[in-house]
Amino acid sequence: MTDIIDELEWRGVLAQTTDLDELRKALADGPVTVYCGFDPTAGSLHVGHLTQILTLARFQRAGHRPIALVGGGTGLIGDPKPNAERSLNSVETVEQWVGVLGSQLSAFLRFAPDGATPEPTDAVLANNRDWLGPLSAIELLRDVGKHFSVNQMLARETVRSRLDGAGMSFTEFSYVLLQSYDYVELYRRYGCTLQTGGSDQWGNITSGLDLIRRLTGNEPHGPAHGLTTNLLTKADGAKFGKTETGTVWLDPELTSPYAFYQFWFNADDRDVVRYLRVFSFRDRAEIEELERQTAERPAARAAQRALAEELTTLVHGAEECRKVIEASRALFGQGDLAALDPATLGAALAEVPNTEAAGPAESLPPVVDLLAATGLVPSKSAARRAVQEGGAYLNNTKVTDVDARVSEVDLLHGRYLVLRRGKRNVGGVLLRP
């Protein structure tokens, strides 16, 4: 067992705890069972969930038992957003998403092998529909709702902001009752005495602690605790986890491994060391060395590369990470483009300036026109200058003729062309069927 609180503090993750001294004592006496909930409000988790997922994983590595709770029940309701009512998804959709999220969460935690007796620190995957589904409206109102003050619920920041605007349905207003009851059930079923979540979940967590005390008298597992993590922001003020093309998902069908890698590789120098502390399992000495390298040689992007490789491997596997690295090198003339598989090459070109064109290859306009069409150069005349100055490339081969055209043999996998201006500016052409 290691001091997980000290680690979370050093990593800049820890925001609030209910009683730090008592929590430290409970963790030292452990193992402690700790849970975090994830509602299936979309068909995939995204990088914004990684802080919570990896916090659970850190607790497990420190000798404690994590519960990853997928909200098959609460996902039918939805945690209130600060500015608008959530759209309710169908039961069938939520059930499908529960399966997807459960599979994604399982990749980060250590579970007992099938048929084996679980060890004390083996993870648990739970679904709150197992207890919320059978709960009747009378039971919810009589046994749970009785312990909640409407005055306190109205004072919650999310509720107040909504009441000052478009209002809030009773459905979302009641969400805190359901999440609090989750903690009670996990306390009873698994002896869970610690809930973690983002700092925006503090009110829900403390409500759960109060409900445990009221319904169980903190018996037989002793007092429960709460811990929140800091919400991540970017140095430039932009929202973390968003790019120009939208949310960065963990599902490779929604965000390709190449795009996932590039998200981390393109991290701002002002953010990357903080990201390493939050998202990496590297120790303090390794991270401080990468911090030193970033300060001394920022152009080498050593910290970004280390972060991108570690997280891409963690989320998508070592083989996908290898393909992404090879694609990154090949696009910039340091590898064989023809050796890349079609999916990886296509995903890579989707992340750079690109244009679509109708085939066959012989009908395509000259290379200088394609350079301009991708936006690598501002005009055809600028493209001609790039060729004359030796700075234009087709599939990593220098273009020497301003009138050069594409032939069938130039097409990669029968449909792709890689264009480059200079060493760092890459674009792509995709032939439509």
Side-chain angles (χ1 to χ4, degrees):
M1 304 243 300
T2 60
D3 194 323
I4 182 65
I5 296 297
D6 284 349
E7 180 177 0
L8 294 179
E9 286 183 329
W10 174 76
R11 291 183 179 276
V13 171
L14 188 63
Q16 301 158 290
T17 62
T18 43
D19 187 326
L20 186 56
D21 291 338
E22 285 298 316
L23 178 57
R24 281 187 184 275
K25 183 178 183 303
L27 292 167
D29 294 340
V32 165
T33 298
V34 52
Y35 101 91
C36 185
F38 304 87
D39 274 348
T41 53
S44 172
L45 297 167
H46 52 74
V47 294
H49 292 108
L50 284 176
T51 302
Q52 301 311 317
I53 299 171
L54 298 179
T55 296
L56 281 183
R58 293 189 202 284
F59 270 99
Q60 185 172 43
R61 292 183 177 209
H64 304 285
R65 178 172 68 156
I67 299 175
L69 178 68
V70 181
T74 46
L76 294 167
I77 303 300
D79 195 3
K81 297 193 295 185
N83 51 11
E85 193 83 4
R86 288 187 183 275
S87 299
L88 297 181
N89 297 299
S90 70
V91 173
E92 294 76 19
T93 296
V94 171
E95 286 181 349
Q96 179 186 354
W97 290 349
V98 164
V100 173
L101 267 61
S103 177
Q104 290 179 334
L105 289 165
S106 296
F108 294 89
L109 303 169
R110 187 188 68 254
F111 291 81
D114 291 341
T117 301
E119 297 293 332
T121 60
D122 282 338
V124 174
L125 184 64
N127 181 350
N128 63 17
R129 196 172 181 190
D130 291 347
W131 52 84
L132 293 179
L135 188 67
S136 71
I138 295 297
E139 290 172 316
L140 176 66
L141 295 174
R142 182 181 176 87
D143 299 338
V144 180
K146 180 67 175 176
H147 300 289
F148 284 79
S149 163
V150 171
N151 291 352
Q152 291 179 353
M153 294 172 69
L154 289 172
R156 293 161 65 88
E157 177 60 34
T158 301
V159 175
R160 285 193 289 110
S161 66
R162 290 277 293 276
L163 292 180
D164 290 339
M168 176 182 286
S169 70
F170 179 76
T171 299
E172 291 196 0
F173 184 65
S174 66
Y175 184 91
V176 64
L177 277 69
L178 302 181
Q179 183 169 325
S180 299
Y181 189 67
D182 283 346
Y183 202 171
V184 172
E185 282 293 321
L186 293 172
Y187 181 88
R188 287 170 170 166
R189 293 177 182 224
Y190 300 101
C192 179
T193 55
L194 176 60
Q195 181 184 359
T196 68
S199 57
D200 59 339
Q201 292 295 310
W202 182 247
N204 287 339
I205 291 173
T206 55
S207 293
L209 295 172
D210 186 59
L211 189 61
I212 288 173
R213 180 181 59 81
R214 291 173 180 271
L215 294 183
T216 74
N218 288 340
E219 294 294 340
H221 306 296
H225 303 274
L227 179 154
T228 63
T229 61
N230 290 308
L231 297 179
L232 208 58
T233 57
K234 294 175 70 173
D236 63 4
K239 186 173 181 179
F240 173 76
K242 297 282 188 178
T243 67
E244 292 182 1
T245 56
T247 300
V248 181
W249 301 97
L250 304 192
D251 187 335
E253 297 299 320
L254 299 175
T255 299
S256 71
Y258 185 90
F260 186 86
Y261 180 97
Q262 291 299 320
F263 171 77
W264 301 107
F265 186 78
N266 291 326
D268 193 306
D269 289 341
R270 296 170 294 175
D271 293 321
V272 67
V273 174
R274 189 158 45 100
Y275 290 174
L276 278 166
R277 291 183 179 182
V278 174
F279 299 114
S280 171
F281 287 106
R282 295 170 186 268
D283 62 28
R284 182 185 293 217
E286 291 176 297
I287 292 175
E288 288 178 348
E289 171 59 20
L290 288 167
E291 183 175 17
R292 183 190 65 78
Q293 292 180 36
T294 298
E296 294 179 359
R297 296 183 59 218
R301 305 191 73 76
Q304 285 90 339
R305 183 173 289 104
L307 180 65
E309 291 183 11
E310 181 175 354
L311 284 173
T312 305
T313 299
L314 182 65
V315 173
H316 296 296
E319 177 61 16
E320 285 298 328
C321 185
R322 181 191 64 78
K323 291 179 182 178
V324 165
I325 293 170
E326 288 183 355
S328 298
R329 291 175 56 83
L331 284 186
F332 294 98
Q334 299 173 355
D336 183 7
L337 288 168
L340 303 179
D341 66 77
T344 303
L345 179 58
L349 292 182
E351 300 302 313
V352 300
N354 61 77
T355 186
E356 292 189 358
E362 287 72 14
S363 68
L364 293 177
V367 172
V368 291
D369 292 36
L370 295 174
L371 282 166
T374 61
L376 290 176
V377 291
S379 64
K380 295 178 184 178
S381 59
R384 292 189 187 93
R385 285 196 301 273
V387 171
Q388 291 167 346
E389 293 168 0
Y393 297 82
L394 171 65
N395 296 341
N396 289 337
T397 299
K398 184 178 293 187
V399 179
T400 58
D401 183 357
V402 293
D403 297 318
R405 304 184 73 94
V406 174
S407 68
E408 194 70 27
V409 296
D410 294 317
L411 295 177
L412 300 167
H413 302 296
R415 59 184 312 204
Y416 299 115
L417 297 169
V418 176
L419 299 173
R420 180 157 50 91
R421 179 176 63 83
K423 293 182 178 180
R424 302 296 305 169
N425 299 295
V426 175
V429 179
L430 168 64
L431 262 65
R432 295 189 295 268

